[in-house]
Amino acid sequence: MAFDITPYIDKTPAEVRELIRQGSIDFPTAGMCRGYAQANLIILPPEYAADFEEFTRLNPFSCPVLEIIRDTPETRDMGAGGNICTDIPKYRIYENGVFTKEVTDASSYWKEGYVGFLIGCSFSFEEALIRAGIDVRHISQGRNVPMFKTNIQTVPAGPFYGPMVCSMRPMTPEHAKIAHEITSKMPNVHGAPVHMGDASAVGVADVMKPDYGDAVDFKEGEIPVFWPCGVTPQSVVEQAKPPIAITHAPGHMFLTDIINAELNDFLEAKKLR
């Protein structure tokens, strides 16, 4: 189903977060708040948080951590006044590894000791691709990005293991090469593609049948280009089976206050603090 992000392209992240909190936006956020980074989310009970933090360390391209949220669901580094339980258009609730429901407000699920992880999102590099003249198909078609479980395995940590989820964008081979050059310089939002070309090589039987998101059209001469995706935590939660996990619904992100072009420097400086 197509949706229109035009009214939100030039709004500030704080304005869009407020609209989401009010229930005015309940659709994917790709292309909103031009210039600002977006983030994936997973919230876990305390007994699972340390293992998941180690999982992110071992799998930095599929799970690049932007901020870890403790004590309250309020964000600090990624958005002053933000709240990870109210400021995402749709959430998914997993119980014992099973996706059970989708909600627009996760406040009632947050408990003392829970830990939230905001994870870098490939939506953050799409602005650079568009500037380079590359058609980002799900944006131009008003759809959610297609995402696939692949045969690329993550590095296990505690109970967390399983396949890497990848987002996919159709491109000509020439544009794929340019996209590789651009995104390889952005490790905190998934970095370079992990595969370009034959989808079956990464275990994807049909690029028109994504596991998450929407199918997009291919034009003659285009190939599928796959990037590590922040929906990977949802895949490994199915294996780890925590009693509860709260995630963003695929494509429905947290809008951060950090400008894409400054994100890597911001995070590097944060490591030194």
Side-chain angles (χ1 to χ4, degrees):
M1 187 176 75
F3 45 87
D4 184 15
I5 59 138
T6 308
Y8 314 106
I9 290 173
D10 291 314
K11 285 192 180 295
T12 67
E15 287 172 331
V16 170
R17 291 197 301 265
E18 181 60 29
L19 288 169
I20 291 169
R21 201 177 296 180
Q22 293 170 2
S24 301
I25 296 172
D26 63 355
F27 43 86
T29 56
M32 292 184 189
C33 302
R34 178 162 37 198
Y36 287 90
Q38 300 195 23
N40 304 276
L41 171 73
I42 182 166
I43 300 171
L44 291 163
E47 62 271 23
Y48 284 83
D51 280 331
F52 185 77
E53 187 170 353
E54 177 65 4
F55 180 82
T56 66
R57 189 186 70 79
L58 296 171
N59 298 277
F61 289 106
S62 54
C63 300
V65 173
L66 305 185
E67 182 177 357
I68 299 176
I69 296 97
R70 307 178 196 273
D71 302 323
T72 75
E74 293 164 1
T75 55
R76 298 167 184 84
D77 293 344
M78 288 296 118
N83 186 313
I84 56 173
C85 288
T86 60
D87 296 357
I88 285 173
K90 285 181 185 172
Y91 298 85
R92 285 192 165 185
I93 308 301
Y94 288 80
E95 298 175 86
N96 300 307
V98 178
F99 165 46
T100 56
K101 67 188 76 164
E102 212 162 66
V103 299
T104 55
D105 186 327
S107 301
S108 62
Y109 292 92
W110 179 274
K111 292 182 180 176
E112 185 177 351
Y114 278 24
V115 181
F117 297 82
L118 285 174
I119 292 168
C121 172
S122 59
F123 288 177
S124 299
F125 65 57
E126 291 174 342
E127 178 191 14
L129 300 185
I130 292 168
R131 269 204 314 270
I134 298 170
D135 176 24
V136 178
R137 194 64 40 78
H138 61 275
I139 292 180
S140 63
Q141 292 193 313
R143 298 178 187 174
N144 198 356
V145 63
M147 294 158 273
F148 300 85
K149 290 181 181 177
T150 69
N151 60 12
I152 304 168
Q153 293 301 304
T154 57
V155 181
F160 296 100
Y161 69 96
M164 179 188 292
V165 174
C166 288
S167 59
M168 187 280 299
R169 294 158 184 81
M171 295 177 190
T172 64
E174 296 75 22
H175 278 170
K177 185 170 182 286
I178 295 167
H180 189 286
E181 291 170 1
I182 291 170
T183 57
S184 64
K185 297 168 185 159
M186 304 175 80
N188 289 305
V189 291
H190 301 308
V194 290
H195 183 69
M196 299 188 286
D198 179 14
S200 66
V202 289
V204 174
D206 187 346
V207 292
M208 301 310 290
K209 293 181 179 177
D211 294 300
Y212 311 92
D214 303 322
V216 295
D217 296 341
F218 274 74
K219 296 179 180 176
E220 189 172 350
E222 290 184 331
I223 59 171
V225 185
F226 294 89
W227 274 269
C229 177
V231 174
T232 299
Q234 299 182 29
S235 171
V236 301
V237 154
E238 293 172 5
Q239 312 295 334
K241 297 180 172 54
I244 190 157
I246 306 157
T247 76
H248 67 291
H252 300 68
M253 304 298 170
F254 181 87
L255 279 300
T256 81
D257 289 344
I258 309 299
I259 294 170
N260 284 318
E262 298 173 0
L263 182 63
N264 280 312
D265 289 345
F266 178 91
L267 293 169
E268 290 304 315
K270 182 179 169 183
K271 290 174 189 172
L272 297 174
R273 290 204 298 268

